[in-house]
Amino acid sequence: MLKDYLQKPTWGELLFGVKCFLAAMLALYIALRLGLPRPFWAPMATCIVSQSMAGSVYVRGMSRLVGTLFGTVASVFLLIAFVNYTVLLCFLIALWVGGCMYFSMLKRTTDAYVYTVGGFTVPVIIFSVLGDINFINVQYITDMAIARAEETGIGFVSAILIHGLIFPRHVGSTVIRQMDTVRKDIRQWIATILRGNTPLGNAPRLNAARIITDLRVLSANLPHDTSNEKWAVANIRLLQDRLTVIIPLITSIEDSVMELKKAGKLSEYWEYLLDNIASWIEEDNPTPESAQWLRERIRHGLPEITQSSSWDEVLIVHLASNLEKLITSRENCADQRRTIDDCLKGKAPAAPKTIPVSLNQLTKDRHLALLVSASAVFSIMLASLFWVASGWTAGFCAPMMTSIFYLSFIRNDNSVAALKKVLLFTIYSLLPAGFYLLVVMYSTHSFESLMLLFAPFVIIGGIFMARPATAFGTTIFMMGIWSTTTMYDLDMANATSFMNGQVFAQCIGITMALISAMVFRSFDAEWTTKRLLASVSDEISQLAKSTRTPPPVIQTSVRMIDRLSVIAPRLSGLGSGKDNAIASLFGQMRIGVNVVYLMHMRSRLERNGIDIAPLLKAISNWFGKRSHEPSEQNAMLEQIDDMLQSVCNMPSRIRQNSAIAALTGIRRDLFPDASPYYPQTLVFKEAV
């Protein structure tokens, strides 16, 4: 970790440090000129929202501004109504934080931060007022609450102006660059699989799923960016959707190629064709003519499908169908990438014909959100009772810090490690914080000299905030120093108040949040993992049961991939069983997608006398149960085989191969160790 701090700063990092300094000093100057009671809250707010990308600063700044106003109104109401009932007021604060925690965890978009900020604004305002209150009246309470909103609002606006106007770094260019990188990686992964090289395991699948999910969330900042890419946000999100569809396709192709090679059923024709497709995939600008030639070669290699077709023949049909979908997806991605460039040049409409999948479709874990919220209420109430019972004047910092850091970090799977780091860097900040409070603040008598004294601390801190490896710890370090300077506003700039408030109360509050996280996570980890694994089966069950219009395949793929990217990091506790669990998740993901394919073909199959409703009902019941008897497994396998043979015998060839591919995929993923499908001889009544 030390080497990350010893690296020579780049010009970009130095520029970011200077911008952090300018934003902080601008906020402090405005707060001082307006005569606000707590001016050092303003530069502290700039530290919180400063990000290396201008769009992210705007989103965080506006979210904090809205959340602060929202929390200020609640603070005024709670203080006026319950200021004489300290324990009840603490309980209502804990409930407020728990409620905001619940709604913020259900949001996977930028507005989730509004709930987070609104959550900790209430304890920050109320506990700071209670800790500094000299006499109780409505006017004092209202003025203090409004002042907190004004000071933090000035900080947010200053950060938005400086980071957005002075050599801004854009979110859009970063998203597009990372998206081009993941497109190239996916193409190389596909080519490796098609050429039949050594299986790469689950790592490429998981990396692609994780990166695309991260880009999807990051793209939520694009509408607020200062770059031209914000006009292409819908097209960028649609490209991410199209990339997502490729993942279940290529994993299915990989399994098919491996199985056919293992059985010695992959002919030289298909090996030659797969190599040609791999070369075409690697091309930067494939032509429509070459894609059409590959489709014709695929159809030329298809076996004749009859009611007596063997398992090897339907496997070839399954592989061929997925290869055609892969070629189409590759073309769609290339076309969509060109559309983005045309959109940036003003040659294409900003809104695509196909609507991208909404971010509201991403995974929401209501059970986990409720449990985390309940633990937040308990932890904050415990810290509050400790403060009230002890009669410790500066102890209000303990429940305040518990609220802030609980809201900020407990939602993460690595919350214990994060809170340990918070405590460590807070302790690191105590010595320089005490120096600034007790020495520097008394050594300056003008704003200019104050700027000079703060310049080294803010600029150097900004350099380390710009580095991904050091950003988190440095932000906590700087927050520790900025929060200490607010004691100067409270006329508490003395060693006794510093030791009571910053050293003891602040560290106790963080420690309480850490202990609560350790207890909660040790209880929660295994339970949450099992429940999330079960939620995949439940979603497939509900999907197959649905009688309404089936969802688009692209939407199902996005939901499944997002859920998988949420679950996969939690499986580390399974040890050697992790790879099997991930492989099973990918299999269930493909089953869900194939179920949707079947549902889209339902009307065509019914016109050929094939009713898939009983099979869909059986699939729904299968995934609705957690365990199955051998007789149930045999019955399910037999029902799939009967449907597969009926499709092989259907009069019309339209959508026949697609239906065979979907059924074959469901059979292989549901029963990977089952004996190969064998067509049964049909016996007519007259013969009997």
Side-chain angles (χ1 to χ4, degrees), residues 5-10 13 463 467:
Y5 289 93
L6 297 178
Q7 293 176 3
K8 183 180 179 180
T10 64
E13 293 169 349
I463 290 173
R467 297 177 182 175

Side-chain angles (χ1 to χ4, degrees), residues 318-329:
H318 173 66
L319 174 62
S321 179
N322 283 331
L323 288 173
E324 288 198 65
K325 292 173 186 173
L326 178 64
I327 292 171
T328 301
S329 295

Side-chain angles (χ1 to χ4, degrees), residues 568-619:
R570 299 173 180 267
L571 300 178
S572 56
L574 298 180
S576 58
K578 177 182 177 181
D579 289 338
N580 292 332
I582 293 175
S584 176
L585 282 172
F586 272 105
Q588 292 185 21
M589 172 192 69
R590 292 191 295 267
I591 291 172
V593 172
N594 281 320
V595 165
V596 174
Y597 275 124
L598 271 182
M599 295 173 74
H600 279 283
M601 291 182 281
R602 186 170 186 168
S603 59
R604 171 63 63 180
L605 293 174
E606 286 177 348
R607 285 197 290 271
N608 285 272
I610 300 174
D611 184 12
I612 64 169
L615 178 60
L616 292 176
K617 183 179 179 181
I619 292 174

Side-chain angles (χ1 to χ4, degrees), residues 13-26 28 40 43-44 46-47 50 163 436 450-466 474-475 477-479 481-482 485:
E13 293 169 349
L14 183 60
L15 176 62
F16 181 74
V18 172
K19 289 195 291 184
C20 287
F21 170 71
L22 293 176
M25 293 303 103
L26 176 63
L28 181 59
F40 280 95
M44 183 170 64
T46 65
C47 175
S50 291
H163 288 283
Y436 267 95
L450 188 66
M451 287 181 63
L452 290 175
L453 291 170
F454 270 106
F457 151 63
V458 181
I459 293 176
I460 294 174
I463 290 173
F464 293 128
M465 285 176 64
T474 306
T475 303
F477 181 85
M478 294 183 70
M479 283 296 300
I481 297 178
W482 278 122
T485 61

Side-chain angles (χ1 to χ4, degrees), residues 150-227:
E150 290 174 341
E151 290 147 6
T152 53
I154 288 170
F156 304 151
V157 173
S158 299
I160 292 171
L161 288 175
I162 296 297
H163 288 283
L165 296 179
I166 300 178
F167 300 109
R169 183 184 173 194
H170 303 305
V171 176
S173 57
T174 302
V175 169
I176 290 180
R177 184 170 60 253
Q178 292 182 4
M179 206 157 52
D180 287 340
T181 301
V182 75
R183 284 177 61 227
K184 183 178 180 180
D185 292 343
I186 288 176
R187 283 160 47 193
Q188 291 176 348
W189 172 37
I190 293 171
T192 300
I193 289 171
L194 293 179
R195 292 194 172 102
N197 293 336
T198 304
L200 303 176
N202 293 310
R205 311 179 184 191
L206 291 177
N207 288 338
R210 177 185 54 80
I211 293 172
I212 293 174
T213 299
D214 291 344
L215 286 174
R216 196 183 306 281
V217 176
L218 181 61
S219 299
N221 297 327
L222 272 178
H224 313 289
D225 200 20
T226 55
S227 64

Side-chain angles (χ1 to χ4, degrees), residues 515-530:
I515 293 173
S516 179
M518 293 173 69
V519 173
F520 163 71
R521 282 304 179 187
S522 63
F523 164 75
D524 161 73
E526 185 177 354
W527 172 78
T528 301
T529 302
K530 289 181 179 179

